[in-house]
Amino acid sequence: MTHQPQTVKRKIGLALLGSGLLLGALQFAAPWVQAAEETDAAQRLKETSNYTVTSAPVEPLHLPTPTLPDLSGYTLEAVNAKIERNVKGRVVVRRMLQQDALKDFIGGDERLREWVTRQGGMPHAIFIEDGYVTPADLARALPDNQFSEVEPGVYLARLPIVVAQGATLHVDPQTTDLRLSQERGAFLVNDGKLFITSTRLTAWRETDNAPATFREGKEFRPFLVSWGGSELYIASSVVTSLGYDNSKSYGVSITQYTPGMHERLQRAEPTGWLIDSEFVDHWYGFYCYEAQNVVIKGNTYRDNIVYGIDPHDRSHGLIIAENTVHGTKQKHGIIISREVDDSWIINNKSYDNKLSGIVIDRNSVRNLIAYNEVYQNHSDGITLYESSHNLLWGNQVLNNKRHGIRVRNSVDIKLYENVSAANGLTGVYGHIKDLSDTDRNFDLDPFDAKISMIVVGGTLAANGSSPLSIDSPLSVELYRVQLLAPSKSTGISFAGILGEKQEEILDLMVRRDLAVLIDPVESQAELQD
């Protein structure tokens, strides 16, 4: 599917004209619903108790426009100002064995055998220590069979490179391209400070004299990992073809050490900025684990394999802003998963990804998802799975193949001023699901089959199945939601619990312009008790 932002915006513009008229000229994905999903929802409706519809006070529903982080300081100039060049570093080659920064990659016979085979003997790595080093410095210090300048400004690493604590590697603008040899098993480990500015970093297939483009998941490709206590800065650069399906080897990663290593080393949470750069053909475009205050701003992530942007376990304070993410081949464009909290996903474009455009997953809470354009994805637009207490504000969710916004097993979800239009199924779909028969680890990823949400403002237009469908909620509040351009000839049609109470809801919300509260009879009885 091609990128057609103007076409999509023209369609939504048509849908928003008028006050609920059918607009035959609007084109969108043909409606389709899986029978199993409909049957499952119908069964849950039979099992739920009665719900009542009442008007709700408006004042508690008013929220101020969210305050966004100031992005003006995240620039190439600010990155350059962080580089300390005064002390020249030292370059040495050592065996990979018994090195803390490399233990995750040589543990077990299989991984050690990988480097022995590629290097033709006991594996070694290049270590940068005690100060500032550039690729030109590496080329002067090392023989050509380990690191060489193959063309003016183009360098080929044929061993892994480790930036030690207290050291800085700067892949600088005088470097046209730093290439990591796939055949020789090169990769890049940052245990200190790594700067990549106004240049290129490429996984390189020497036999093809070309980038090591993806062939299959288990095939080794060079990667970059930045460990606990480190800082990684990539600015105004192009990074290509990194990563494969192996632990901490996914592409560009900022990650705390594994639990056993972290218990011994006690390194601080890693951090970094990735700004105004392009990331292409990686196993994961970006991955982080137990990282803090990482800034991912103004980048393009295209044609990556599994995910575009994937912050994971217990990372927090992240800014994911002004990125364009598209063409992810296997899963989602942007996903945060497993207790990724107190972060901002703002002003991004995520489109034409294999599954959802943006996903908030596995108990990730207190995040702001705002002003994103999420369209033409092959599954949902924005998906929240088992992640309560999140705010979605001012997003445009258009022409996705399944639901516009899907919320599962999550409470206190606030949807404010969003536009969800021309999606194949439902504009906003809320549901519960029992995950006990899955392979989920419930110690790591507990869940409650509960859902509640507030939907205020915004527009639901021309979605294939219905504007809203919510089943078995603890409560739902609706206020000032525009319902335009229904796709069905019968007009606006809710589904789930809302379908049962449609006339009452429309009377209060549309005809009388009041806030609507839908909640089960039991909750009202509990309040009276």
Side-chain angles (χ1 to χ4, degrees):
M1 188 178 294
T2 58
H3 178 196
Q4 298 175 308
Q6 295 306 319
T7 301
V8 173
K9 288 179 180 178
R10 183 167 63 252
K11 290 173 183 176
I12 187 61
L14 287 171
L16 297 179
L17 289 172
S19 56
L21 300 175
L22 279 169
L23 301 176
L26 184 66
Q27 300 297 315
F28 53 90
W32 55 283
V33 181
Q34 291 186 346
E37 190 173 85
E38 286 187 328
T39 302
D40 194 33
Q43 180 62 33
R44 284 195 294 272
L45 281 176
K46 292 178 183 178
E47 295 170 355
T48 56
S49 303
N50 291 329
Y51 281 74
T52 61
V53 175
T54 58
S55 62
V58 169
E59 296 308 320
L61 299 179
H62 287 305
L63 288 183
T65 301
T67 301
L68 304 184
D70 181 5
L71 304 180
S72 62
Y74 302 112
T75 64
L76 175 62
E77 293 73 21
V79 169
N80 283 325
K82 291 177 176 288
I83 303 174
E84 298 176 6
R85 299 175 171 85
N86 296 331
V87 179
K88 275 293 181 183
R90 186 161 55 98
V91 178
V92 296
V93 175
R94 295 198 181 95
R95 288 185 175 184
M96 292 173 65
L97 296 174
Q98 306 305 316
Q99 301 293 332
D100 285 341
L102 296 174
K103 282 188 175 180
D104 207 59
F105 309 118
I106 57 174
D109 292 342
E110 183 179 346
R111 296 208 84 174
L112 180 59
R113 190 182 303 117
E114 177 92 56
W115 317 124
V116 170
T117 300
R118 292 181 182 276
Q119 293 190 21
M122 182 58 66
H124 287 72
I126 301 163
F127 286 78
I128 298 167
E129 300 178 338
D130 301 330
Y132 174 86
V133 169
T134 68
D137 297 324
L138 290 171
R140 284 190 289 268
L142 298 168
D144 286 351
N145 67 340
Q146 295 177 342
F147 191 97
S148 62
E149 186 174 16
V150 294
E151 302 171 19
V154 177
Y155 298 91
L156 178 66
R158 306 187 85 227
L159 291 180
I161 301 171
V162 179
V163 185
Q165 278 188 286
T168 296
L169 172 61
H170 183 196
V171 186
D172 58 350
Q174 285 68 49
T175 302
T176 305
D177 194 3
L178 173 56
R179 297 171 177 174
L180 306 176
S181 170
Q182 179 183 36
E183 288 88 345
R184 291 278 292 174
F187 56 91
L188 191 50
V189 173
N190 178 33
D191 210 26
K193 293 183 179 181
L194 173 57
F195 295 84
I196 300 172
T197 62
S198 304
T199 186
R200 299 180 72 95
L201 174 68
T202 308
W204 196 254
R205 189 171 293 138
E206 292 190 65
T207 52
D208 295 344
N209 196 32
T213 51
F214 176 75
R215 294 190 292 209
E216 65 95 14
K218 290 298 183 180
E219 179 186 34
F220 167 82
R221 293 198 302 173
F223 56 89
L224 187 167
V225 62
S226 194
W227 283 128
S230 68
E231 298 177 29
L232 171 65
Y233 299 92
I234 301 177
S236 302
S237 295
V238 178
V239 185
T240 303
S241 298
L242 300 182
Y244 70 118
D245 186 9
N246 215 330
S247 174
K248 309 296 186 180
S249 308
Y250 304 131
V252 176
S253 302
I254 298 178
T255 174
Q256 183 55 272
Y257 275 98
T258 52
M261 291 280 289
H262 178 50
E263 185 176 356
R264 178 167 65 85
L265 298 175
Q266 291 295 308
R267 298 278 173 81
E269 295 170 305
T271 191
W273 299 357
L274 287 72
I275 62 173
D276 303 322
S277 295
E278 189 170 1
F279 299 87
V280 184
D281 184 43
H282 304 299
W283 183 242
Y284 292 4
F286 173 79
Y287 172 84
C288 69
Y289 171 92
E290 294 186 350
Q292 65 168 339
N293 303 331
V294 176
V295 178
I296 306 168
K297 170 192 166 287
N299 305 294
T300 296
Y301 289 84
R302 64 174 175 85
D303 301 327
N304 295 292
I305 310 306
V306 182
Y307 302 111
I309 299 173
D310 179 27
H312 231 275
D313 301 53
R314 296 170 295 283
S315 297
H316 58 97
L318 312 181
I319 296 174
I320 303 171
E322 300 178 1
N323 302 286
T324 298
V325 184
H326 65 98
T328 305
K329 298 180 186 299
Q330 293 186 10
K331 294 189 178 180
H332 314 295
I334 301 171
I335 176 172
I336 63 172
S337 183
R338 191 173 288 143
E339 299 177 48
V340 179
D341 302 338
D342 302 305
S343 297
W344 295 267
I345 302 176
I346 55 175
N347 287 305
N348 301 284
K349 292 183 180 180
S350 185
Y351 66 91
D352 192 24
N353 298 293
K354 180 66 173 179
L355 295 179
S356 296
I358 297 175
V359 178
I360 314 301
D361 184 41
R362 299 185 188 227
N363 298 297
S364 296
V365 302
R366 299 185 304 277
N367 299 292
L368 173 65
I369 303 94
Y371 306 117
N372 300 286
E373 296 182 27
V374 186
Y375 56 94
Q376 294 180 348
N377 293 288
H378 298 221
S379 185
D380 303 325
I382 300 177
T383 307
L384 289 89
Y385 285 155
E386 292 76 54
S387 292
S388 299
H389 316 299
N390 288 295
L391 172 60
L392 278 66
W393 187 292
N395 300 285
Q396 294 190 46
V397 188
L398 314 174
N399 202 27
N400 298 284
K401 195 167 186 179
R402 289 179 60 77
H403 306 288
I405 299 172
R406 177 201 288 252
V407 181
R408 185 183 77 186
N409 295 344
S410 305
V411 299
D412 184 31
I413 301 302
K414 296 181 174 66
L415 308 178
Y416 275 64
E417 309 301 341
N418 300 284
V419 174
S420 182
N423 299 291
L425 294 179
T426 310
V428 174
Y429 177 49
H431 65 119
I432 61 172
K433 185 174 182 179
D434 184 359
L435 304 176
S436 58
D437 60 349
T438 68
D439 60 359
R440 192 182 187 96
N441 183 328
F442 296 110
D443 291 329
L444 279 177
D445 302 310
F447 79 99
D448 288 318
K450 297 177 180 178
I451 185 168
S452 69
M453 68 173 69
I454 296 172
V455 185
V456 174
T459 300
L460 305 175
N463 295 289
S465 296
S466 68
L468 278 163
S469 176
I470 302 171
D471 66 72
S472 306
L474 295 178
S475 69
V476 181
E477 291 186 75
L478 308 172
Y479 180 53
R480 287 196 300 101
V481 183
Q482 292 193 74
L483 306 172
L484 306 181
S487 60
K488 297 182 178 181
S489 60
T490 53
I492 293 168
S493 178
F494 292 157
I497 290 296
L498 304 185
E500 292 185 336
K501 304 294 183 179
Q502 178 164 315
E503 287 304 314
E504 298 169 73
I505 294 168
L506 291 177
D507 179 59
L508 288 170
M509 186 175 70
V510 178
R511 299 184 186 97
R512 299 168 61 185
D513 197 26
L514 298 173
V516 179
L517 171 64
I518 303 103
D519 64 353
V521 171
E522 290 98 318
S523 70
Q524 296 179 24
E526 288 168 5
L527 287 173
Q528 292 171 359
D529 292 342

